[in-house]
Amino acid sequence: MRRILIILMAAPALVLHGQWLNYPTPGTPRLPGGQPNLTAPTPRTADGKPELSGLWNRISPKYHVNVAADLKPEEVQPFAKSLVRQRTEDLGRDSMNTRCLPSGPAYATDADSTAGGMMKIIQTPGIIVILNPDLTYRQIFMDGRKLETAPNPSWMGYSVGRWEQDTLVVESFGFNDQTWLDTSGHPHTEALRTTERYRRRNFGNLDLEVTFQDPAVYARPWTVAVRAELAPDTE
């Protein structure tokens, strides 16, 4: 009976894994053989802005593990280095994944060399939504509002966006301090602010730069580069 129960519990995951596999994504440019042409020009919306909608694989093997890799040791507060060392020795047992909690600001760099960080972007003129496989989501308001100066801290923070020519600039604030910035366990405080810059280089490639600023933990703001590849013909 126990073996049957385990099989039944696993069955829904097996069924859901391949939904709409190989379903042709509408509007995808094709090569003569029918394959998606990922180097085709960047698609645009009716108002001329780059169209970012689609299913994307974030790829960031370096910063997924160590978001502070480009900082000098003295630019990270001693308590933060000690915390990273402890979390590494504990094999990440209190990480967000282990505890089934949202990754918060780490979603931007949550990817590795196997393209494990998927996100689905849904773009409208007034709001952009980013969906994650763990059922968390982000709302990026594009209606001109400003970030609140004293937001109620939340797992995903609060985000507003604007266009600078063909680059989407997203400013975020209001994260709680319960999440890690990477799998090594780099911490942050509720003072953390992030600025993301999205640029769709062509049909199949998205460049992302993320600037982190948290003066209580890190001596200066720093920027990391992440890329994403479009995953067409699937969901």
Side-chain angles (χ1 to χ4, degrees), residues 57-86:
N57 276 315
R58 289 183 299 257
I59 302 175
S60 176
K62 179 180 179 180
Y63 301 113
H64 167 69
V65 175
N66 182 5
V67 74
D70 297 335
L71 291 177
K72 297 177 181 178
E74 61 269 23
E75 292 178 325
V76 181
Q77 289 284 354
F79 83 88
K81 290 188 285 189
S82 176
L83 194 55
V84 170
R85 184 164 54 251
Q86 174 189 329

Short mmCIF file of all heavy atoms in Angstrom, two decimals, residues 57-86:
data_model
loop_
_atom_site.label_atom_id
_atom_site.label_comp_id
_atom_site.label_asym_id
_atom_site.label_seq_id
_atom_site.Cartn_x
_atom_site.Cartn_y
_atom_site.Cartn_z
N ASN A 57 15.12 31.28 -19.82
CA ASN A 57 16.03 30.56 -18.94
C ASN A 57 17.16 31.50 -18.52
O ASN A 57 17.98 31.90 -19.35
CB ASN A 57 16.65 29.35 -19.66
CG ASN A 57 15.76 28.14 -19.60
OD1 ASN A 57 15.22 27.81 -18.56
ND2 ASN A 57 15.61 27.46 -20.73
N ARG A 58 17.20 31.88 -17.24
CA ARG A 58 18.32 32.68 -16.75
C ARG A 58 19.56 31.79 -16.61
O ARG A 58 19.47 30.65 -16.15
CB ARG A 58 17.98 33.30 -15.39
CG ARG A 58 16.95 34.40 -15.43
CD ARG A 58 16.76 34.99 -14.04
NE ARG A 58 16.28 33.97 -13.12
CZ ARG A 58 15.01 33.87 -12.72
NH1 ARG A 58 14.11 34.73 -13.15
NH2 ARG A 58 14.64 32.92 -11.87
N ILE A 59 20.71 32.34 -16.99
CA ILE A 59 21.97 31.59 -16.91
C ILE A 59 22.98 32.46 -16.17
O ILE A 59 23.38 33.51 -16.66
CB ILE A 59 22.48 31.19 -18.29
CG1 ILE A 59 21.41 30.35 -19.02
CG2 ILE A 59 23.79 30.40 -18.18
CD1 ILE A 59 21.77 30.01 -20.45
N SER A 60 23.39 32.01 -14.99
CA SER A 60 24.32 32.80 -14.18
C SER A 60 25.09 31.89 -13.22
O SER A 60 24.90 31.95 -12.01
CB SER A 60 23.57 33.87 -13.38
OG SER A 60 24.45 34.58 -12.54
N PRO A 61 25.93 31.01 -13.74
CA PRO A 61 26.62 30.05 -12.84
C PRO A 61 27.51 30.72 -11.82
O PRO A 61 27.69 30.20 -10.72
CB PRO A 61 27.43 29.19 -13.82
CG PRO A 61 27.57 30.02 -15.06
CD PRO A 61 26.31 30.83 -15.14
N LYS A 62 28.07 31.88 -12.14
CA LYS A 62 28.98 32.56 -11.22
C LYS A 62 28.23 33.21 -10.06
O LYS A 62 28.51 32.93 -8.88
CB LYS A 62 29.79 33.62 -11.98
CG LYS A 62 30.75 34.42 -11.12
CD LYS A 62 31.51 35.44 -11.99
CE LYS A 62 32.48 36.27 -11.15
NZ LYS A 62 33.22 37.25 -11.98
N TYR A 63 27.25 34.05 -10.36
CA TYR A 63 26.59 34.82 -9.32
C TYR A 63 25.48 34.05 -8.62
O TYR A 63 25.05 34.42 -7.53
CB TYR A 63 26.05 36.13 -9.92
CG TYR A 63 27.15 36.97 -10.52
CD1 TYR A 63 27.22 37.19 -11.89
CD2 TYR A 63 28.15 37.51 -9.72
CE1 TYR A 63 28.23 37.95 -12.45
CE2 TYR A 63 29.18 38.27 -10.27
CZ TYR A 63 29.21 38.49 -11.64
OH TYR A 63 30.23 39.23 -12.18
N HIS A 64 25.02 32.99 -9.22
CA HIS A 64 24.07 32.10 -8.56
C HIS A 64 24.69 31.54 -7.28
O HIS A 64 24.01 31.42 -6.26
CB HIS A 64 23.69 30.97 -9.53
CG HIS A 64 22.97 29.83 -8.90
ND1 HIS A 64 21.69 29.93 -8.41
CD2 HIS A 64 23.34 28.53 -8.68
CE1 HIS A 64 21.30 28.77 -7.92
NE2 HIS A 64 22.28 27.91 -8.07
N VAL A 65 25.97 31.24 -7.32
CA VAL A 65 26.67 30.69 -6.17
C VAL A 65 27.21 31.78 -5.25
O VAL A 65 27.09 31.71 -4.03
CB VAL A 65 27.82 29.77 -6.63
CG1 VAL A 65 28.63 29.27 -5.44
CG2 VAL A 65 27.27 28.60 -7.43
N ASN A 66 27.80 32.82 -5.85
CA ASN A 66 28.43 33.88 -5.06
C ASN A 66 28.14 35.23 -5.69
O ASN A 66 28.85 35.68 -6.59
CB ASN A 66 29.94 33.64 -4.95
CG ASN A 66 30.63 34.68 -4.09
OD1 ASN A 66 29.99 35.54 -3.48
ND2 ASN A 66 31.95 34.61 -4.02
N VAL A 67 27.10 35.90 -5.22
CA VAL A 67 26.70 37.18 -5.80
C VAL A 67 27.74 38.26 -5.53
O VAL A 67 27.80 39.26 -6.26
CB VAL A 67 25.32 37.59 -5.26
CG1 VAL A 67 25.42 38.08 -3.81
CG2 VAL A 67 24.66 38.64 -6.13
N ALA A 68 28.58 38.08 -4.50
CA ALA A 68 29.60 39.06 -4.14
C ALA A 68 30.97 38.70 -4.70
O ALA A 68 31.98 39.20 -4.21
CB ALA A 68 29.67 39.20 -2.63
N ALA A 69 31.01 37.88 -5.74
CA ALA A 69 32.29 37.40 -6.28
C ALA A 69 33.19 38.54 -6.75
O ALA A 69 34.42 38.40 -6.72
CB ALA A 69 32.03 36.43 -7.44
N ASP A 70 32.62 39.66 -7.16
CA ASP A 70 33.42 40.76 -7.69
C ASP A 70 33.79 41.79 -6.62
O ASP A 70 34.46 42.78 -6.92
CB ASP A 70 32.68 41.45 -8.83
CG ASP A 70 32.44 40.51 -10.01
OD1 ASP A 70 33.22 39.56 -10.16
OD2 ASP A 70 31.48 40.74 -10.77
N LEU A 71 33.34 41.56 -5.39
CA LEU A 71 33.70 42.47 -4.30
C LEU A 71 35.01 42.02 -3.65
O LEU A 71 35.31 40.83 -3.61
CB LEU A 71 32.59 42.51 -3.25
CG LEU A 71 31.27 43.18 -3.64
CD1 LEU A 71 30.27 43.06 -2.49
CD2 LEU A 71 31.48 44.64 -4.01
N LYS A 72 35.75 42.96 -3.11
CA LYS A 72 36.94 42.62 -2.34
C LYS A 72 36.51 42.14 -0.95
O LYS A 72 35.45 42.55 -0.44
CB LYS A 72 37.84 43.84 -2.21
CG LYS A 72 38.37 44.36 -3.55
CD LYS A 72 39.20 45.62 -3.35
CE LYS A 72 39.71 46.14 -4.70
NZ LYS A 72 40.50 47.40 -4.54
N PRO A 73 37.28 41.26 -0.32
CA PRO A 73 36.89 40.74 1.01
C PRO A 73 36.58 41.84 2.02
O PRO A 73 35.64 41.72 2.81
CB PRO A 73 38.11 39.91 1.42
CG PRO A 73 38.74 39.49 0.13
CD PRO A 73 38.52 40.64 -0.80
N GLU A 74 37.37 42.93 2.00
CA GLU A 74 37.16 44.00 2.97
C GLU A 74 35.90 44.82 2.67
O GLU A 74 35.49 45.66 3.49
CB GLU A 74 38.37 44.93 3.00
CG GLU A 74 38.68 45.64 1.70
CD GLU A 74 39.64 44.87 0.81
OE1 GLU A 74 39.74 43.63 0.98
OE2 GLU A 74 40.29 45.51 -0.04
N GLU A 75 35.26 44.59 1.52
CA GLU A 75 34.04 45.32 1.18
C GLU A 75 32.78 44.62 1.69
O GLU A 75 31.67 45.11 1.48
CB GLU A 75 33.96 45.52 -0.33
CG GLU A 75 35.04 46.46 -0.86
CD GLU A 75 35.00 46.62 -2.36
OE1 GLU A 75 34.67 45.64 -3.07
OE2 GLU A 75 35.32 47.73 -2.83
N VAL A 76 32.96 43.48 2.36
CA VAL A 76 31.85 42.75 2.96
C VAL A 76 32.03 42.77 4.48
O VAL A 76 33.12 42.47 4.99
CB VAL A 76 31.80 41.29 2.46
CG1 VAL A 76 30.62 40.55 3.06
CG2 VAL A 76 31.73 41.25 0.93
N GLN A 77 30.99 43.14 5.20
CA GLN A 77 31.09 43.24 6.65
C GLN A 77 31.49 41.89 7.26
O GLN A 77 31.06 40.83 6.79
CB GLN A 77 29.74 43.68 7.24
CG GLN A 77 29.38 45.11 6.96
CD GLN A 77 30.17 46.09 7.83
OE1 GLN A 77 30.92 45.69 8.73
NE2 GLN A 77 30.02 47.37 7.57
N PRO A 78 32.30 41.91 8.32
CA PRO A 78 32.75 40.65 8.95
C PRO A 78 31.61 39.74 9.36
O PRO A 78 31.70 38.51 9.21
CB PRO A 78 33.55 41.14 10.17
CG PRO A 78 34.05 42.50 9.76
CD PRO A 78 32.95 43.09 8.93
N PHE A 79 30.51 40.30 9.89
CA PHE A 79 29.40 39.44 10.31
C PHE A 79 28.79 38.70 9.12
O PHE A 79 28.34 37.55 9.25
CB PHE A 79 28.33 40.26 11.04
CG PHE A 79 27.34 40.96 10.14
CD1 PHE A 79 26.18 40.32 9.72
CD2 PHE A 79 27.58 42.25 9.69
CE1 PHE A 79 25.28 40.95 8.89
CE2 PHE A 79 26.68 42.90 8.86
CZ PHE A 79 25.53 42.26 8.47
N ALA A 80 28.79 39.35 7.95
CA ALA A 80 28.23 38.72 6.76
C ALA A 80 29.13 37.58 6.28
O ALA A 80 28.65 36.50 5.90
CB ALA A 80 28.04 39.75 5.65
N LYS A 81 30.43 37.78 6.30
CA LYS A 81 31.36 36.73 5.91
C LYS A 81 31.26 35.53 6.85
O LYS A 81 31.31 34.38 6.42
CB LYS A 81 32.79 37.28 5.86
CG LYS A 81 33.03 38.25 4.72
CD LYS A 81 34.49 38.64 4.59
CE LYS A 81 34.91 39.60 5.66
NZ LYS A 81 36.27 40.14 5.42
N SER A 82 31.11 35.82 8.15
CA SER A 82 30.96 34.74 9.12
C SER A 82 29.67 33.96 8.88
O SER A 82 29.63 32.73 8.98
CB SER A 82 30.96 35.33 10.54
OG SER A 82 30.73 34.32 11.50
N LEU A 83 28.60 34.68 8.53
CA LEU A 83 27.31 34.04 8.27
C LEU A 83 27.39 33.16 7.03
O LEU A 83 26.85 32.04 7.00
CB LEU A 83 26.24 35.11 8.10
CG LEU A 83 24.78 34.66 8.16
CD1 LEU A 83 24.49 33.90 9.42
CD2 LEU A 83 23.86 35.88 8.05
N VAL A 84 28.06 33.64 5.98
CA VAL A 84 28.23 32.84 4.76
C VAL A 84 29.01 31.56 5.07
O VAL A 84 28.67 30.46 4.61
CB VAL A 84 28.94 33.66 3.67
CG1 VAL A 84 29.35 32.76 2.50
CG2 VAL A 84 28.05 34.78 3.19
N ARG A 85 30.07 31.70 5.87
CA ARG A 85 30.88 30.54 6.24
C ARG A 85 30.05 29.51 7.01
O ARG A 85 30.11 28.31 6.75
CB ARG A 85 32.08 30.99 7.06
CG ARG A 85 33.05 29.87 7.43
CD ARG A 85 34.38 30.44 7.89
NE ARG A 85 34.22 31.41 8.99
CZ ARG A 85 34.42 32.72 8.85
NH1 ARG A 85 34.79 33.21 7.67
NH2 ARG A 85 34.26 33.54 9.87
N GLN A 86 29.24 30.00 7.93
CA GLN A 86 28.39 29.10 8.71
C GLN A 86 27.37 28.39 7.83
O GLN A 86 27.15 27.18 7.94
CB GLN A 86 27.66 29.89 9.81
CG GLN A 86 26.64 29.07 10.59
CD GLN A 86 25.80 29.94 11.50
OE1 GLN A 86 26.27 30.97 12.00
NE2 GLN A 86 24.55 29.55 11.71
#
